[in-house]
Amino acid sequence: MMRDSNSDLFDLRTVVDAADLPRSVSSSSDANFGFAFNVSNFSDRQLRIEIMGDSPDARLDSDACTSIADWARHRKRRREDIKKENVVDLSGCPEEQILNCNQPDMDELDGCENQDEEAVAMIEESPSGDEEANSNESDWSMDCSTVVRVKTLHISSPILAAKSPFFYKLFSNGMRESEQRHVTLRISASEEAALMELLNFMYSNTLLTTSAPDLLDVLMAADKFEVASCMRYCSRLLRNMPMTPESALLYLELPSSVLMAEAVQPLTDAAKQYLAARYRDITKFQEEVMALPLAGIEAILASDDLQIASEDAVYDFVLKWARAQYTKLEERREVLGARLARFIRFPYMTCRKLKKVLTCNDFDPEVASKLVLEALFFKAEVPHRQRALALEDTASSNRHFVERAYKYRPVKVVEFELPRQQCVVYLDLKREECANLYPSGRVYSQAFHLGGQGFFLSAHCNMDQQSSFHCFGLFLGMQEKGSVTFAVDYEFAARTKVQQPQQPNQQTEEFVSKYKGNYTFTGGKAVGYRNLFALPWASFIADDSPFFINGVLHLRAELTIKHRPLSD
């Protein structure tokens, strides 16, 4: 028999051993059994729902849940109230009734003394059917709350068992309780509406509620009673609603039992994508981003499309946020080392900034050393090996070796002090980056340093002054800093496909010099060549262009200081 991919019965892998499931059982997730809900003729058991009283404040909060913000405040208030209520003397409670069945969140179960999965949120009754005789004892739960209302429903155990591992284990555990015709669930009053919606869904595969707060309540109930199809259903409806920063953060901060669930993963992924897109330019929303919680910052930093000047700027931002959010050094080190460092692309930081990482007190020294060594080893790799590492890292959640679309392109720099101060700078540009320069764009490299002064490269699409056609130009500039003057020899080269005269079928891909010059730099000045390849733009960017190796333009600039810098 073909199994439905949406079947709850086969979502039991994390709860029930598959060997324990009967081979003959199949699920009908798409079937609508709504006609049988709470109808005795189609039911084999009774479900008694004991509804515990909420505090007056909780009821008021619940009634006011008309928005995501209201729902979040209400859930937080309920969790705090439950923690307070659970701190009670249990000596007066019957031992066999010590069950904490009033907790809304699975991650709160740490405080429950009886952690048998079958016991959560259920109380089995005697087969006599004398519910009233046992009502006094049933009033006791871990928080010793009072049952204010009781609902009794007719249920079909095969339908509920097919939808929920919780009910499947309840009805098939081979113990005396599995033979009872009456099952009791104990819930809080604020959970009643969500549970009724959930039970109806298990029969009909649909929900009547449409508001985001109500769907979140049903989602929590579905998680509690392990109804995966309802979790997927709620997740899909919430995902199709307009997202806001508030709702996206709430989805990311759902209790861990929900967050870890495969059924809700598309919702959390959509929340991360929304935050990453909204705060793509973190400098534009600096105050708003600085106020975001850790989950929001992680979603933003994980993005490859972050609009940022360089990875140095990402590092500076992360430090600023961590210092503002975690004033204690121990907490800050823990968050940076265990949570945020994996989102910083250290291999694309400049060597000058990496040196500062080693001496930064905000990072544990061992963590800082490991991160910097990994970055330096990556920088030392040959280009094809770097690309291979980045490709392997694409599927990783860390993505340390994946380059972002920086405003200033990363460069690789080799520096020499003797016999003269010299540096060799390598700048790689993808074909699509070059294509986007047409007709008058430009792209800048990260700053690099020679003789204590900052320089940069800039690639342009401009008009050739003599032939009046678009062409590719490369320029070298010096960052403005006081009145220092530098006399510099420079050479531009590009890796080029060159045919071998003796072997026509073979070609080399060596750097070929394209332009040499010398210039006395002062702050803010730039020098270069408007048509580096002596070609029209169309020929330079063509598919058969000899300057693109596997879709990448490899540029090299050599700078040599002719004499020590002088001050005017």
Side-chain angles (χ1 to χ4, degrees), residues 37-322:
F37 181 53
N38 198 20
V39 177
S40 59
N41 289 345
F42 299 102
S43 306
D44 61 339
R45 300 177 191 250
Q46 281 192 352
L47 176 64
R48 173 187 168 96
I49 304 174
E50 294 183 351
I51 302 164
M52 315 302 291
D54 278 335
S55 67
D57 289 341
R59 285 196 295 272
L60 288 174
D61 287 345
S62 181
D63 293 339
C65 284
T66 58
S67 70
I68 289 289
D70 293 335
W71 186 92
R73 285 192 293 269
H74 171 55
R75 300 294 295 192
K76 182 178 180 181
R77 176 67 174 273
R78 284 185 59 201
R79 286 196 294 269
E80 292 173 350
D81 288 344
I82 287 167
K83 288 177 181 179
K84 293 177 182 177
E85 291 171 358
N86 286 343
V87 183
V88 297
D89 182 6
L90 301 179
S91 59
C93 298
E95 183 178 351
E96 66 275 11
Q97 296 295 334
I98 298 180
L99 296 170
N100 190 0
C101 309
N102 197 30
Q103 294 181 335
D105 299 326
M106 296 297 286
D107 61 345
E108 300 290 348
L109 291 177
D110 293 340
C112 186
E113 293 183 13
N114 186 349
Q115 299 229 0
D116 292 337
E117 293 185 3
E118 289 80 2
V120 177
M122 79 174 186
I123 304 172
E124 285 291 354
E125 298 183 279
S126 64
S128 65
D130 188 8
E131 292 99 11
E132 293 300 323
N134 296 326
S135 61
N136 290 334
E137 288 187 358
S138 298
D139 287 350
W140 290 101
S141 69
M142 181 170 280
D143 57 10
C144 298
S145 299
T146 303
V147 176
V148 297
R149 191 165 60 258
V150 174
K151 277 189 174 183
T152 302
L153 302 175
H154 297 285
I155 60 171
S156 168
S157 58
I159 291 177
L160 297 189
K163 288 288 185 178
S164 161
F166 174 89
F167 285 104
Y168 178 88
K169 289 179 292 181
L170 175 61
F171 298 139
S172 62
N173 61 12
M175 300 173 64
R176 180 180 63 83
E177 290 84 352
S178 65
E179 301 175 0
Q180 307 305 319
R181 299 298 94 187
H182 301 82
V183 180
T184 299
L185 299 183
R186 181 171 290 180
I187 63 172
S188 65
S190 55
E191 292 178 296
E192 179 183 354
L195 177 59
M196 295 306 296
E197 281 279 359
L198 177 64
L199 291 172
N200 181 70
F201 177 89
M202 294 170 76
Y203 277 80
S204 64
N205 295 301
T206 189
L207 294 173
L208 298 178
T209 187
T210 57
S211 73
D214 289 343
L215 287 172
L216 282 166
D217 277 336
V218 176
L219 175 63
M220 300 298 289
D223 174 63
K224 183 175 181 177
F225 294 102
E226 306 174 58
V227 187
S229 62
C230 189
M231 295 176 71
R232 284 192 292 269
Y233 187 91
C234 293
S235 173
R236 184 170 64 252
L237 292 182
L238 290 168
R239 195 167 69 251
N240 291 334
M241 291 182 176
M243 194 85 72
T244 65
E246 193 175 55
S247 63
L249 290 170
L250 179 59
Y251 300 151
L252 293 180
E253 294 178 331
L254 287 171
S256 58
S257 60
V258 174
L259 199 59
M260 295 293 287
E262 182 181 351
V264 188
Q265 195 63 48
L267 178 62
T268 57
D269 288 345
K272 292 176 183 178
Q273 292 168 8
Y274 170 83
L275 291 173
R278 176 179 175 83
Y279 299 114
R280 186 180 177 189
D281 186 353
I282 57 178
T283 58
K284 184 179 178 181
F285 300 94
Q286 191 161 7
E287 290 187 9
E288 194 172 338
V289 174
M290 285 295 294
L292 291 177
L294 179 59
I297 294 297
E298 288 179 325
I300 294 170
L301 295 179
S303 173
D304 295 340
D305 298 324
L306 198 61
Q307 287 186 346
I308 197 75
S310 65
E311 199 65 30
D312 288 4
V314 174
Y315 170 81
D316 290 338
F317 166 77
V318 171
L319 274 189
K320 182 179 179 181
W321 180 89

Side-chain angles (χ1 to χ4, degrees), residues 407-411 425-429 433-434 437 440-448 455-462 471-479 490 492 521 524-533 537 553 555-557 559:
K407 180 179 179 181
Y408 301 119
R409 307 299 299 138
V411 292
V425 185
Y426 297 89
L427 171 65
D428 293 345
L429 298 175
E433 290 177 309
C434 293
L437 296 178
S440 58
R442 62 185 62 186
V443 62
Y444 295 93
S445 76
Q446 291 181 356
F448 53 92
F455 290 86
F456 63 90
L457 294 173
S458 61
H460 297 228
C461 176
N462 40 228
C471 53
F472 180 88
L474 184 64
F475 294 83
L476 170 67
M478 187 176 83
Q479 293 179 319
Y490 64 93
F492 293 156
F521 283 94
K525 299 296 183 180
V527 66
Y529 197 60
R530 294 180 64 86
N531 189 356
L532 184 67
F533 301 110
W537 182 265
L553 174 65
L555 300 172
R556 186 184 71 191
L559 284 68

Side-chain angles (χ1 to χ4, degrees), residues 266-475:
L267 178 62
T268 57
D269 288 345
K272 292 176 183 178
Q273 292 168 8
Y274 170 83
L275 291 173
R278 176 179 175 83
Y279 299 114
R280 186 180 177 189
D281 186 353
I282 57 178
T283 58
K284 184 179 178 181
F285 300 94
Q286 191 161 7
E287 290 187 9
E288 194 172 338
V289 174
M290 285 295 294
L292 291 177
L294 179 59
I297 294 297
E298 288 179 325
I300 294 170
L301 295 179
S303 173
D304 295 340
D305 298 324
L306 198 61
Q307 287 186 346
I308 197 75
S310 65
E311 199 65 30
D312 288 4
V314 174
Y315 170 81
D316 290 338
F317 166 77
V318 171
L319 274 189
K320 182 179 179 181
W321 180 89
R323 288 168 179 170
Q325 297 287 336
Y326 300 91
T327 56
K328 293 183 179 179
L329 178 60
E330 296 79 8
E331 294 180 356
R332 188 160 64 248
R333 281 188 170 184
E334 176 65 22
V335 169
L336 286 171
R339 299 288 296 271
L340 292 179
R342 60 196 179 103
F343 296 108
I344 302 175
R345 319 274 170 97
F346 289 94
Y348 293 99
M349 290 170 57
T350 62
C351 290
R352 289 170 67 90
K353 184 65 75 171
L354 289 175
K355 291 179 183 178
K356 293 183 179 181
V357 175
L358 289 175
T359 58
C360 179
N361 193 44
D362 298 273
F363 280 90
D364 181 271
E366 291 186 8
V367 173
S369 297
K370 180 181 177 181
L371 293 169
V372 171
L373 281 175
E374 180 186 59
L376 293 177
F377 277 124
F378 178 84
K379 288 178 178 291
E381 291 282 5
V382 294
H384 79 271
R385 179 57 183 160
Q386 290 180 339
R387 290 192 293 271
L389 288 171
L391 187 61
E392 293 173 5
D393 209 29
T394 302
S396 167
S397 59
N398 296 342
R399 303 177 71 78
H400 271 171
F401 303 130
V402 179
E403 187 177 347
R404 304 185 204 265
Y406 302 109
K407 180 179 179 181
Y408 301 119
R409 307 299 299 138
V411 292
K412 179 183 286 188
V413 183
V414 180
E415 298 181 53
F416 302 93
E417 288 293 332
L418 296 173
R420 289 192 295 177
Q421 287 184 304
Q422 183 183 34
C423 69
V424 183
V425 185
Y426 297 89
L427 171 65
D428 293 345
L429 298 175
K430 298 177 182 177
R431 184 188 294 272
E432 53 267 29
E433 290 177 309
C434 293
N436 290 335
L437 296 178
Y438 185 86
S440 58
R442 62 185 62 186
V443 62
Y444 295 93
S445 76
Q446 291 181 356
F448 53 92
H449 292 78
L450 178 64
Q453 179 61 47
F455 290 86
F456 63 90
L457 294 173
S458 61
H460 297 228
C461 176
N462 40 228
M463 295 292 291
D464 182 276
Q465 291 179 329
Q466 295 180 348
S467 304
S468 298
F469 55 73
H470 288 91
C471 53
F472 180 88
L474 184 64
F475 294 83

